[in-house]
Amino acid sequence: MTLLRLENVRKRYDQTPALHDIGLHLEAGEFLVLIGGSGSGKTTLLRAAAGLERVTAGRITLRQDIVDDPQATLFVPPAQRRLGMVFQDYALWPHLSCLDNVATALPARTPNRLNRAQKMLERMQIGALAQRRPARLSGGQQQRVGIARALVARPDLLLLDEPFSSLDPHIRDQLRNDIRALARETGTASLLVSHDPADVWRLADRVAVLEAGRIIQLATPETLFTRPATPHVARFSGAQGGFPAVPAQVGSTTGVRLGDVFLPAPLDHACAPECIAYFRPQDVLSQPACSTGPGLPAILDHCVFEAGAWLAYWRVAGLLSLICSRETQKPGAEARLTISGDKIFLYPRDKE
Ligand code: ADP
Ligand code: MG
């Protein structure tokens, strides 16, 4: 069942366009991560789904009901949308205890209101902090209260705006695991906004990449990794690049000219006369310098030991940037670098 659907949604703030023609749907129980740089429109999209912002054009449907459609002058306010929302800055009431912060998300006459709030705090592993005020909690604990508050009314849809970005990396990981487990357990659909690629790999069933108010790729994390739609997606999935590349053909073999060298590659989507190439360090292989066959003559500039693995940076004639591979050798070592053609991502030069 489709829980949330955005069709041709546009949003302008005065003269600033923030969203262009957004089409997006979220299935029941699905975890969708919306990723994009600062100012790309992530918060605007989430706030429009919540009803905290009205769209300029298009339509938003929640469950089976239209909740925003300016042309039909339809608008359902946030309180009637029955969804949970988690904010980056926690947005807790400072004068209320954690327990009361959570309980306020339940209607006043809910049976066992405080009991339910307490249970939710316990589920978030902060039951012992129920009587404290938010100011006396760590960031991670405050965000646990925020999540408990968002989930206590058992919404079928949870909206999260960069919920981990103010937290330390190890706390971030714990909360990611907890949110994922809780969403699975309760069948809650989640739309999480982030600029951190780790959220994509750790949480997403599907990913929407937002650039300047447009969705430029909507896919599974695996497809995003194997077929990044733009240089921006290639970079955040760990590719290096922006290397000038010219599509070419030698005999019946298609490929690209990178620096002064021809590398065979399939040329399915790269028809522009000038391209830029991206590829990942793990797909760069170094051969002995004396070996024959296609390969970029390279001289090792330096190596670094990063996150448990050696990375080698190579200087290649005709390329301004160094090429990185996963290995270690002595600076000054010579080699020929090869990159398997299907691991080279090519984009028209004007897309950069
Ligand atoms: P993100 O969350 O991806 O950083 P936002 O949705 O906050 O992006 O912002 C998208 C664009 O809309 C930006 O250009 C931003 O400056 C603009 N914008 C956001 N909120 C407002 C507002 N209340 N008034 C005017 N412009 C806004
Ligand atoms: Mg934002």
Side-chain angles (χ1 to χ4, degrees), residues 45-93:
L45 195 156
L46 208 69
R47 287 174 58 85
L52 297 168
E53 225 45 92
R54 285 174 184 239
V55 304
T56 309
R59 172 186 288 176
I60 301 180
T61 313
L62 185 59
R63 301 172 197 97
Q64 312 297 335
D65 307 319
I66 297 172
V67 291
D68 196 354
D69 184 343
Q71 213 175 354
T73 55
L74 267 170
F75 182 77
V76 175
Q80 289 167 32
R81 294 196 187 188
R82 292 180 286 124
L83 37 84
M85 183 125 188
V86 179
F87 302 89
Q88 174 181 352
D89 59 0
Y90 325 129
L92 302 174
W93 295 108

Side-chain angles (χ1 to χ4, degrees), residues 42-43 161-162 193:
K42 306 181 298 293
T43 295
D161 192 356
E162 312 228 15
V193 152

Side-chain angles (χ1 to χ4, degrees), residues 22 26 35 49 62 71 86 141-142 162 168 198 215 243 260 316 321 349:
I22 297 290
L26 184 67
I35 189 148
L62 185 59
Q71 213 175 354
V86 179
Q141 290 166 338
Q142 289 188 56
E162 312 228 15
D168 291 340
I215 293 179
F243 301 110
D260 304 330
V316 171
S321 324
R349 196 170 176 74

Side-chain angles (χ1 to χ4, degrees), residues 8 18 57 65 83 112 114 144 154 156 165 174 182 226 258 323 337:
N8 309 108
D65 307 319
L83 37 84
N112 302 319
L114 289 180
R144 284 176 182 276
R154 299 185 183 281
D156 51 5
S165 59
Q174 288 171 3
L182 208 61
T226 51
L258 205 65
I323 288 184
L337 303 181

Side-chain angles (χ1 to χ4, degrees), residues 93 96 98-108 113-114 117 149 152:
W93 295 108
L96 295 181
C98 295
L99 186 69
D100 288 335
N101 261 286
V102 175
T104 49
L106 292 169
R113 191 164 175 255
L114 289 180
R149 180 184 56 187
V152 72

